[in-house]
Amino acid sequence: MYLLDVLTIPKDDPIAFTFFTGYMAMLAASVFFFFERGSVDGKWKLSLLVSGLITGIAAVHYYYMRDYYLATGENPTALRYIDWTLTVPLMCVEFYLLTKVAGAKLSLLWKLIAASVWMLVTGYIGEAFTDGSTGHSVLWGFLSAVGYFYILYTAWYGEVAKLADASENAAVKKGVRTLAWFVLVGWAIYPIGYMCMPGGWLNVALGWESGNVDLFYNIADAINKIGFGLVVYSIAVASSKKVAA
Ligand SMILES: *C/C=C(C)/C=C/C=C(C)/C=C/C1=C(C)CCCC1(C)C
């Protein structure tokens, strides 16, 4: 059964396909970030380590989620949320490290982490304990969105944006703005995926028979975890050159 599933993936199961490619992409990205630590200045090495940890933690979870999905045909919801609970706070660490030189305080990091944990715990309640009731998921989805909007606001107009603007490093200024775009556009794919639960608004509107949550989450993870890391990498490289010149 298992081998048969693997053999039919490319033509009949786009979700399984994205679990496989997602796993490889996360693994490759981690190797890249770990190796490239050697080519940036000392103060940027920690940022690249965190980028590599984000994709590395995701790679391990994708390894298990892929098998879980193939074996059961169900969403690996618990594994998914464990992954996010580790990796989203690490993305908050990236914002903190980038704005630290401009004076970011540790309290900023804790506020971002608290908002992300809130977003994920409420999202998990909405997704894992549905009892087939859409009302339940809608309520918890809205509660979760409060945490998301807090992070979005902080990145665009709040402390993160203000500190980046005050930074003397042009690469940090521009890079943090790019990361804010990731939070606005890339992260928005997650609530869209959430609405594709069986019985979810979008799933019903599109007339899909089965849920498609994982398709959206897998695509979003690849964009956000690898893309976010690459932006941090390009900031680090641009700033390292400046010091060397
Ligand atoms: C690497 C993983 C990342 C960046 C995960 C981000 C997840 C979100 C932004 C999830 C947001 C959700 C809502 C805003 C409402 C519905 C429930 C969630 C948890 C899917």
Side-chain angles (χ1 to χ4, degrees):
M1 179 67 187
Y2 183 82
L3 183 64
L4 193 69
D5 281 342
V6 172
L7 292 174
T8 56
I9 283 164
K11 56 181 169 50
D12 344 314
D13 195 340
I15 294 181
F17 178 79
T18 55
F19 272 120
F20 273 81
T21 41
Y23 169 58
M24 269 333 287
M26 295 292 180
L27 193 65
S30 305
V31 173
F32 176 79
F33 293 133
F34 287 140
F35 271 90
E36 286 302 308
R37 279 184 79 238
S39 61
V40 299
D41 285 355
K43 64 173 182 211
W44 292 105
K45 289 191 194 299
L46 184 58
S47 297
L48 284 204
L49 176 67
V50 175
S51 293
L53 287 176
I54 291 170
T55 50
I57 291 169
V60 175
H61 283 86
Y62 267 77
Y63 178 83
Y64 289 107
M65 287 196 289
R66 187 192 67 179
D67 282 359
Y68 181 96
Y69 177 79
L70 282 183
T72 65
E74 285 175 14
N75 303 335
T77 308
L79 282 165
R80 176 79 71 186
Y81 277 85
I82 295 168
D83 172 345
W84 289 352
T85 308
L86 296 167
T87 51
V88 179
L90 283 173
M91 293 170 116
C92 301
V93 170
E94 297 276 38
F95 273 124
Y96 169 69
L97 290 175
L98 287 170
T99 49
K100 206 171 112 182
V101 248
K105 297 200 190 71
L106 213 51
S107 63
L108 168 65
L109 176 60
W110 288 118
K111 279 184 268 183
L112 289 174
I113 290 180
S116 55
V117 171
W118 168 265
M119 171 179 91
L120 296 172
V121 169
T122 48
Y124 183 69
I125 296 171
E127 205 168 325
F129 309 106
T130 51
D131 309 321
S133 141
T134 305
H136 166 97
S137 311
V138 170
L139 171 68
W140 288 98
F142 272 111
L143 290 173
S144 168
V146 174
Y148 172 51
F149 286 127
Y150 178 82
I151 300 171
L152 190 60
Y153 176 83
T154 308
W156 276 89
Y157 306 107
E159 256 178 283
V160 168
K162 286 185 192 139
L163 287 164
D165 281 344
S167 154
E168 271 147 35
N169 183 332
V172 168
K173 236 181 247 184
K174 206 168 142 248
V176 168
R177 204 13 87 100
T178 309
L179 293 181
W181 274 106
F182 269 91
V183 176
L184 179 66
V185 180
W187 289 27
I189 304 170
Y190 297 99
I192 293 173
Y194 182 89
M195 290 185 260
C196 289
M197 266 188 257
W201 289 348
L202 202 58
N203 219 49
V204 170
L206 292 169
W208 285 337
E209 309 256 305
S210 57
N212 281 300
V213 175
D214 288 303
L215 190 61
F216 287 89
Y217 289 172
N218 289 351
I219 292 169
D221 273 356
I223 294 172
N224 291 302
K225 293 183 165 63
I226 300 171
F228 216 82
L230 285 173
V231 173
V232 172
Y233 167 72
S234 68
I235 296 172
V237 168
S239 315
S240 296
K241 262 193 221 127
K242 215 165 284 160
V243 175

